[in-house]
């Protein structure tokens, strides 16, 4: 059996068209929907750690990254991002390495440029790894700077900060030679992945990882995708504020959402191309395909735009997860058992009938999900910097790892994030804090506790911002 892992960066669970209409209206994702109809759909899936690189460490190794032991990285060629924003530890085998040793031909097709920065090693274990250049501030192209007039087209003047201007200058310079839809990033990634399939039809069995940075910002899409959701011309807005956006002009917020939805639909279209390539190469009957996202993105939800771990929120923490078995076996099965990203490696070994390595922290879940069982977990702990989040069927707790700055939300409320009920439920708070500490294998490192003590209580700001 072959294995394909497809990850779309920043694809919100509520915006992929599988789990109901999007928060801003229906979204056009016919290929995602068809894939869901042929798959096991997990409705209660979560990251293990956030954001981008910690998430991929957990997915690629099947081991917990939280609570970020030996992960206070200060690496040349990178910004000082969230805890865990670094390479995969040398003593942790990756799924690609383990399958390579088991006789699989392995490949990584990705435009997630963070994976390929100096000091990173996310290509370990791949017989071929292809890095498609140019996303965000990847130092892909040099050349003239945008004029103020050109800059104003892409970035509203009220968002002209030094960091935002630098971001847009690099992002637009990197794409100056685009002419057709096929030149955009998600088409490049999925077309290249399909080409790899065509070029490797001699492989007895393979493991292919497909990483699309879209629909991550900047939300640069052909205009016809944006017009699916907003026909009116106007000021362009493709950059996340990573800040409170409650004062942002409503037209700009609408434009941002339309660009995001357009990017999701473009990703869907080219995912359809990839799936059609599998069909015509007769690979759908002997391949298991896992589809997920690393996290979502707030776009005006509760007045914020960006990703943050404190206060954490469903639009960022909930992720889609679907598994299509060979021949679409088990099509239409839905499971609401708790599952996390670091379970995926164990699930792959389970599906292949291989012994599950003892080094894994994740748990196999496919057979239990298909049998309709609830699974072993009664909660998940998701790590982001010094502020873990504990989620149960009834409660959502987010706090600093030193036990301060506690936020507790009752998930059954109509607006669960509207009222912090920590003071009314000290027993729940205590129980969730103990669960977070128990899941912190080896305890909290001293440097993480010190980081917690130096950070302001929520609403605070995203740990994704560079640290001093």
């Amino acid at each position: 059996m072959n294995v394909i892992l497809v990850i779309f960066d920043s694809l919100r669970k509520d915006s992929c068209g599988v789990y109901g209409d999007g928060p801003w209206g229906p979204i056009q994702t016919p290929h995602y929907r068809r894939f869901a109809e042929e798959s096991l759909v997990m409705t209660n899936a979560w990251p293990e750690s956030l954001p981008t690189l910690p998430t991929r460490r957990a997915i690629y190794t099947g081991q917990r990254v939280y609570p970020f032991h030996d992960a206070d990285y200060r690496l040349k060629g990178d910004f000082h991002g969230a805890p865990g924003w670094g390479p995969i530890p040398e003593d942790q085998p990756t799924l690609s390495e383990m399958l390579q040793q088991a006789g699989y031909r392995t490949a990584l097709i990705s435009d997630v440029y963070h994976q390929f920065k100096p000091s990173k090693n996310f290509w370990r274990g791949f017989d071929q790894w292809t890095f498609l250049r140019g996303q965000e501030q990847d130092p892909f192209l040099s050349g003239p700077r945008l004029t103020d007039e050109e800059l104003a087209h892409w970035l509203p003047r009220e968002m002209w900060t030094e960091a935002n201007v630098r971001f847009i200058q690099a992002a637009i310079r990197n794409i100056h030679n685009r002419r057709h839809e096929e030149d955009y990033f998600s088409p490049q990634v999925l077309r290249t992945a399909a080409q790899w399939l065509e070029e490797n039809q001699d492989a007895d069995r393979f493991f292919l990882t497909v990483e699309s940075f879209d629909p991550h910002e900047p939300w640069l899409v052909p205009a016809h995708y944006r017009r699916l959701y907003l026909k009116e011309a106007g000021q362009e807005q493709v950059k996340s504020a990573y800040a409170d956006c409650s004062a942002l002009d409503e037209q700009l917020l609408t434009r941002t959402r339309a660009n995001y939805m357009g990017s999701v639909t473009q990703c869907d279209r080219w995912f359809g191309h990839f799936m059609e390539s599998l069909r015509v190469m007769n690979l759908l009957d002997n391949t298991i395909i896992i589809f997920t996202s690393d996290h979502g993105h707030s776009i005006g939800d509760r007045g914020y735009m960006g990703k943050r771990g404190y206060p954490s929120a469903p639009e960022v923490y909930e992720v889609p997860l679907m598994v299509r078995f060979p021949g679409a076996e088990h099509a239409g099965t839905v499971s609401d058992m708790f599952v996390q990203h670091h379970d995926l490696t164990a699930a792959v070994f389970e599906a292949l009938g291989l012994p599950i390595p003892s080094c894994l922290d994740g748990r196999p879940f496919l057979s239990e999900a298909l049998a309709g069982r609830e699974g072993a977990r009664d909660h998940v702990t998701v790590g982001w910097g010094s502020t873990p989040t504990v989620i149960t069927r009834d409660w959502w707790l987010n706090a600093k790892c030193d036990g301060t700055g506690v936020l507790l939300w009752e998930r059954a409320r109509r607006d669960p994030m509207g009222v912090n009920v920590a003071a009314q439920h000290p027993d729940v708070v205590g129980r969730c804090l103990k669960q977070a500490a128990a899941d912190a294998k080896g305890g909290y490192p001293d440097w993480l506790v010190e980081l917690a003590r130096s950070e302001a209580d929520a609403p605070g700001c995203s740990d994704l911002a560079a640290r001093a």
Side-chain angles (χ1 to χ4, degrees), residues 9 33 49 112 223 272 284 351 414 428:
D9 199 299
R33 293 171 191 260
S49 293
V112 182
L284 288 176
R414 185 170 183 176
V428 176

Side-chain angles (χ1 to χ4, degrees), residues 122 137 141 155 179 195 258 288 297 303 375 397 410:
F122 286 81
Q137 298 183 83
L141 295 176
L155 185 68
R179 296 293 181 267
Q195 289 168 2
I288 185 169
H297 198 103
L397 179 135
E410 193 171 5

Side-chain angles (χ1 to χ4, degrees), residues 102-113:
Y104 283 75
R105 185 176 300 178
T106 58
L108 168 65
I109 311 296
S110 174
D111 68 337
V112 182
Y113 77 110

Side-chain angles (χ1 to χ4, degrees), residues 140-210:
F140 175 46
L141 295 176
S142 58
R145 291 174 56 84
L146 299 177
T147 66
D148 282 357
E149 182 180 359
E150 291 169 329
L151 183 63
H153 170 75
W154 294 108
L155 185 68
R157 288 186 179 271
E158 54 264 47
M159 293 179 66
W160 281 29
T161 64
E162 181 180 351
N164 284 347
V165 168
R166 183 171 58 249
F167 180 98
I168 290 296
Q169 287 281 2
I172 302 305
R173 182 169 58 243
N174 278 345
I175 64 162
H176 82 278
N177 56 354
R178 284 183 182 172
R179 296 293 181 267
H180 306 287
E181 180 175 340
E182 291 85 353
D183 301 328
Y184 284 70
F185 290 113
S186 56
Q188 285 189 50
V189 168
L190 291 155
R191 286 173 60 224
T192 302
Q195 289 168 2
W196 185 89
L197 294 172
E198 187 175 351
E199 293 164 356
N200 288 270
Q201 294 182 69
D202 65 305
D204 292 331
R205 47 188 178 172
F206 64 79
F207 169 53
L208 172 63
T209 298
V210 184

